[in-house]
Amino acid sequence: MPLQPLKPKLIIANWKMYLGVKESIILARQTSKIKTTNEIVVCPSFVVLPLAKKELGKKVKLGAQNVAWREGGALTGEVSASMLSELGCKYVIVGHSERRSLLNESEVTIREKLKLAVAKKIIPIFCVGETAEARKAGETVKVIKGQLAVLNNLSFDKLVIAYEPVWAIGTGRVPTTEEISDVHGFIRAEAGKSVKNLQIVYGGSVDENNIKKILAVTGVDGVLVGGASTKLNSWKKIIN
Ligand code: 13P
């Protein structure tokens, strides 16, 4: 098994639309009290951002789950990069597979979102990952190479790429450590040249039972956690 020594990791919570407003405030407060040497980012719903920021304190960083592909103006229901910046967001998730598949998010809008986030000094957490069909067809690398092409000719001081196989999200299924290591290695070779500070995190059914094994995989700088990040007991174990 490809292993690496343990060092501080980037642990990102994507609360998706799992929690209500009150529940989010409580979990943000509890998160601020967990002792850890890892770097923690919490991405709550837009409506909770200012309230969560207050609870998370200084150490835990705030992230958003999405950003508008235009900077301002007549765009009903959207939230701009400058608004996120004003609210203290340090990170934003861009191109999550749920948005690509359920909301038809295109590579054109993903690229615009990346540009606007960078312009406002918000670090993108850019998501890539293959479907079960693509993996079965042996096309994992081809699909990810295609998704990474949106980064061409963009420049980033700092970028997080999340490898989230679509078939692993919310299913309890996780790739083998070799598979994760191979894909992370490919992403680093492909995107690492143009990004000074690149962190590659794994996402998809991360929980308190598999966290240690995943964080020990060569090339894994951290994790992006959905469901398990919304349950305090699991989340505490993942953070530590
Ligand atoms: P789960 O951890 O619930 O599988 O979700 C992963 C994910 O989509 C994080 O962005």
Side-chain angles (χ1 to χ4, degrees):
M1 186 181 18
L3 293 177
Q4 63 183 353
L6 288 177
K7 57 177 186 193
K9 300 288 186 179
L10 180 61
I11 314 274
I12 308 164
N14 175 6
W15 286 353
K16 306 193 181 186
M17 208 173 64
Y18 281 124
L19 300 172
V21 173
K22 284 185 197 136
E23 289 170 320
S24 301
I25 293 168
I26 293 168
L27 188 55
R29 189 175 303 151
Q30 288 163 330
T31 299
S32 74
K33 294 182 182 142
I34 304 172
K35 291 204 173 18
T36 178
T37 51
N38 290 318
E39 197 182 336
I40 311 301
V41 180
V42 171
C43 304
S45 151
F46 280 147
V47 294
V48 183
L49 288 172
L51 299 165
K53 167 92 181 128
K54 233 166 94 184
E55 299 296 339
L56 289 170
K58 287 217 168 70
K59 264 193 79 192
V60 180
K61 300 288 182 286
L62 186 69
Q65 296 177 16
N66 184 31
V67 60
W69 73 101
R70 288 208 317 246
E71 190 28 57
L75 210 50
T76 305
E78 291 292 319
V79 176
S80 70
S82 29
M83 289 160 134
L84 296 181
S85 166
E86 272 187 81
L87 290 177
C89 286
K90 299 287 178 230
Y91 291 84
V92 63
I93 298 172
V94 176
H96 192 282
S97 73
E98 285 151 15
R99 298 198 58 85
R100 290 182 196 251
S101 64
L102 302 171
L103 295 149
N104 296 325
E105 191 156 291
S106 74
E107 311 231 303
V108 174
T109 55
I110 288 173
R111 192 173 155 89
E112 292 309 307
K113 290 174 181 205
L114 291 169
K115 284 199 237 171
L116 291 172
V118 169
K120 294 295 162 195
K121 302 205 174 337
I122 301 171
I123 303 163
I125 301 164
F126 171 51
C127 302
V128 297
E130 80 287 2
T131 59
E133 294 71 37
R135 177 160 279 272
K136 247 186 241 150
E139 292 184 343
T140 299
V141 162
K142 187 175 147 201
V143 167
I144 289 168
K145 192 177 164 87
Q147 291 169 334
L148 291 175
V150 302
L151 302 177
N152 288 348
N153 302 319
L154 297 184
S155 87
F156 300 90
D157 281 342
K158 201 167 173 191
L159 176 68
V160 178
I161 298 181
Y163 169 48
E164 296 207 301
V166 177
W167 53 271
I169 295 176
T171 59
R173 292 171 58 212
V174 174
T176 65
T177 50
E178 281 78 8
E179 285 167 340
I180 295 174
S181 186
D182 286 353
V183 176
H184 280 227
F186 172 74
I187 293 172
R188 200 170 299 281
E190 195 71 10
K193 288 166 249 154
S194 51
V195 185
K196 274 180 237 155
N197 187 348
L198 173 66
Q199 285 179 296
I200 306 173
V201 300
Y202 168 80
S205 295
V206 173
D207 62 22
E208 66 275 30
N209 301 312
N210 58 28
I211 181 72
K212 284 216 160 55
K213 194 168 152 191
I214 291 171
L215 287 181
V217 174
T218 302
V220 171
D221 298 318
V223 285
L224 176 54
V225 191
S229 74
T230 63
K231 299 172 196 102
L232 182 63
N233 283 341
S234 313
W235 182 226
K236 266 187 188 165
K237 291 179 190 154
I238 290 169
I239 286 184
N240 279 302

